[in-house]
Amino acid sequence: DDLKMLNPNLLSDEQKEEIKLKFEILKNRKIFPILEELKLEDRKDFDIAVLTAFGIVKYKEQIEKTLKSLYEMRMNVRTEMKK
């Protein structure tokens, strides 16, 4: 399949503002490791705002599952390389 990219030009000004507001909250706090980050309410709010704006919120669980899987694979490779 082709690589899909989110195109912000497809969003309304309202959608862009909502995403920016949610991002400001994240920008002004400490960022945690990804597995912890995904559990935080403000991060969930941001993710939902982005996914909703692009009409793909129904894929949220699948996206998170894939992200976690890729992260775990990366950590396993990193561990193996240190041996």
Side-chain angles (χ1 to χ4, degrees):
D1 286 18
D2 293 333
L3 177 65
K4 307 289 187 217
M5 298 295 292
L6 300 178
N7 182 352
N9 295 325
L10 300 175
L11 302 180
S12 70
D13 289 342
E14 269 183 10
Q15 291 169 315
K16 291 175 188 176
E17 273 308 305
E18 177 71 12
I19 291 169
K20 286 178 191 176
L21 288 172
K22 302 288 184 188
F23 182 72
E24 277 299 314
I25 295 167
L26 298 181
K27 189 174 94 171
N28 293 314
R29 69 157 171 80
K30 177 184 173 190
I31 301 299
F32 296 93
I34 191 67
L35 297 180
E36 290 177 51
E37 190 71 30
L38 292 173
K39 296 176 186 176
L40 299 174
E41 285 304 313
D42 56 357
R43 176 56 190 250
K44 289 179 186 179
D45 289 344
F46 172 75
D47 291 346
I48 289 170
V50 171
L51 297 173
T52 299
F54 284 99
I56 56 173
V57 73
K58 66 183 177 183
Y59 300 110
K60 183 180 184 298
E61 284 184 39
Q62 184 178 349
I63 292 168
E64 283 185 7
K65 183 178 175 183
T66 302
L67 177 62
K68 288 175 184 178
S69 177
L70 290 170
Y71 175 79
E72 288 170 9
M73 285 175 16
R74 182 176 156 226
M75 291 298 104
N76 288 336
V77 167
R78 179 184 253 173
T79 301
E80 288 298 316
M81 290 179 72
K82 288 182 179 182
K83 288 182 179 180

